[in-house]
Amino acid sequence: LECSYYDLEKDGGGNVTGNGSSSFESVSLRGAAIMTASIVGSSVGEVDGLFQPDAEKLMKLILPLLHASSLDQCDAMIPQDRLLSATAQIAVAMKAAFAPFLPSVLPHLLKVAKEEVDVSICEGDNSAVGKESEFDEDTGIETTTFALPGMGVKKIVLNTTQMHEKAQTANSLCELATAMTAVGKESEFD
């Protein structure tokens, strides 16, 4: 059923580059379009040759965006975590055909995986105990205060956005490893 509608879906979502607008909404929409195309593609990836040409086009679009985001030229760029998640979806669909893209994608994944997480624990204020945590959307930092038995009042500051990115990166690495492992197993039986 999914395959019979694939051409219709990809025609509607095939132009993921947008009109070049750098507004938050446009960038978010382009990121969502890339993610959607990769998810739809991975769902039909088992059908011989159906997604392969589109997957290659998507990767040729994603790789320059990944490179620009790694150079912090990302004013109008799609968030790197979305791009990396999309590449993992595409790898699952492409299997062995993804191998040429792996050297370009893997360094970005490993860079995010190796980043130190912004976390700190310091003395807290008794008046903040039991209150809801505070989240700064601009920095991705969440702050909460606890009373810990035997330790007193502590304030924990954590970059939850960074933690989310690291979790997605770990998932992407796992999907890439699974896709490449499947390639190795297939070649053993050929």
Side-chain angles (χ1 to χ4, degrees):
L1 179 65
E2 289 173 348
C3 297
S4 63
Y5 294 104
Y6 177 73
D7 286 334
L8 175 68
E9 290 295 322
K10 80 171 178 123
D11 289 342
N15 182 11
V16 296
T17 57
N19 62 4
S21 172
S22 63
S23 73
F24 175 78
E25 291 82 12
S26 295
V27 171
S28 185
L29 185 58
R30 284 193 295 270
I34 288 174
M35 283 297 299
T36 301
S38 67
I39 291 168
V40 170
S42 68
S43 70
V44 298
E46 295 296 319
V47 179
D48 290 333
L50 189 59
F51 179 58
Q52 186 73 25
D54 296 323
E56 290 175 6
K57 287 178 191 174
L58 274 171
M59 286 307 300
K60 288 178 181 173
L61 172 69
I62 290 171
L63 291 178
L65 294 171
L66 272 176
H67 181 68
S69 70
S70 71
L71 299 174
D72 290 330
Q73 299 174 344
C74 52
D75 296 349
M77 292 295 162
I78 297 159
Q80 188 175 22
D81 60 326
R82 284 194 176 183
L83 296 172
L84 292 172
S85 291
T87 61
Q89 292 283 341
I90 293 167
V92 168
M94 290 180 76
K95 297 185 179 160
F98 187 82
F101 299 109
L102 196 57
S104 299
V105 173
L106 201 52
H108 297 286
L109 286 166
L110 294 175
K111 180 183 176 207
V112 174
K114 289 179 183 178
E115 287 177 355
E116 296 252 351
V117 178
D118 295 334
V119 63
S120 65
I121 301 173
C122 57
E123 295 301 318
D125 180 13
N126 240 357
S127 65
V129 174
K131 292 185 178 177
E132 281 197 34
S133 62
E134 298 173 17
F135 181 71
D136 182 342
E137 289 187 27
D138 294 332
T139 62
I141 293 183
E142 189 166 356
T143 306
T144 191
T145 304
F146 295 99
L148 298 172
M151 296 183 72
V153 177
K154 300 293 179 187
K155 181 168 110 177
I156 300 172
V157 180
L158 176 66
N159 188 330
T160 54
T161 301
Q162 188 182 31
M163 290 295 294
H164 177 73
E165 289 172 359
K166 287 179 81 65
Q168 279 191 305
T169 298
N171 186 45
S172 295
L173 282 166
C174 196
E175 288 181 24
L176 280 173
T178 301
M180 294 300 108
T181 300
V183 168
K185 288 180 181 176
E186 287 173 8
S187 65
E188 287 177 21
F189 298 108
D190 290 343

